[in-house]
Amino acid sequence: MEAVITVVGNDKVGILAQVCTACAEANVNVEEVTQRILRGTFAMIMLVDVSSCSMDFTAFAEKMKQKGDELGVDVRCTRQEIYDAMHRI
């Protein structure tokens, strides 16, 4: 199963590294990443494979939210099928 992780907040060193480390700790594979700095705001979208995650999806999503709180950025984790349905016109 795939999921989409979005990260938005004030740019600072280490955001990508710490979010990726949190994924690795949960045995979640990062498949694709795109990121930009928009006038000092860090914006990133990640596509991850959660099929081998060491915890259930809800716990992983909460772990990612907590990581965002530690970093001072907004981190959201959404199942790919829900993300697709929300953004379908």
Side-chain angles (χ1 to χ4, degrees), residues 7-8 12 14 18 32 36 42 44-45 63 65-66 72:
V7 182
V8 177
K12 64 181 179 182
Q18 291 191 47
E32 293 184 46
R36 291 277 190 244
F42 180 87
M44 177 171 67
I45 300 173
K63 172 186 172 107
K65 180 187 177 313
Q66 289 173 356

Side-chain angles (χ1 to χ4, degrees), residues 1-4 78-88:
M1 175 175 68
E2 292 182 331
V4 175
T78 307
R79 286 188 166 104
Q80 178 70 45
E81 63 268 17
I82 293 172
Y83 187 85
D84 289 344
M86 289 175 16
H87 296 91
R88 189 173 297 131

Side-chain angles (χ1 to χ4, degrees), residues 2 7 12 35 39 52 57 59 61 65 67 70 73-74 85:
E2 292 182 331
V7 182
K12 64 181 179 182
Q35 67 174 15
R39 294 186 182 173
S52 297
F57 183 80
K65 180 187 177 313
K67 178 55 70 176
E70 290 172 23
V73 296
D74 181 46

Side-chain angles (χ1 to χ4, degrees), residues 46-63:
M46 305 171 78
L47 181 63
V48 298
D49 180 355
V50 294
S51 58
S52 297
C53 188
S54 60
M55 59 189 76
D56 69 34
F57 183 80
T58 302
F60 175 68
E62 181 58 31
K63 172 186 172 107

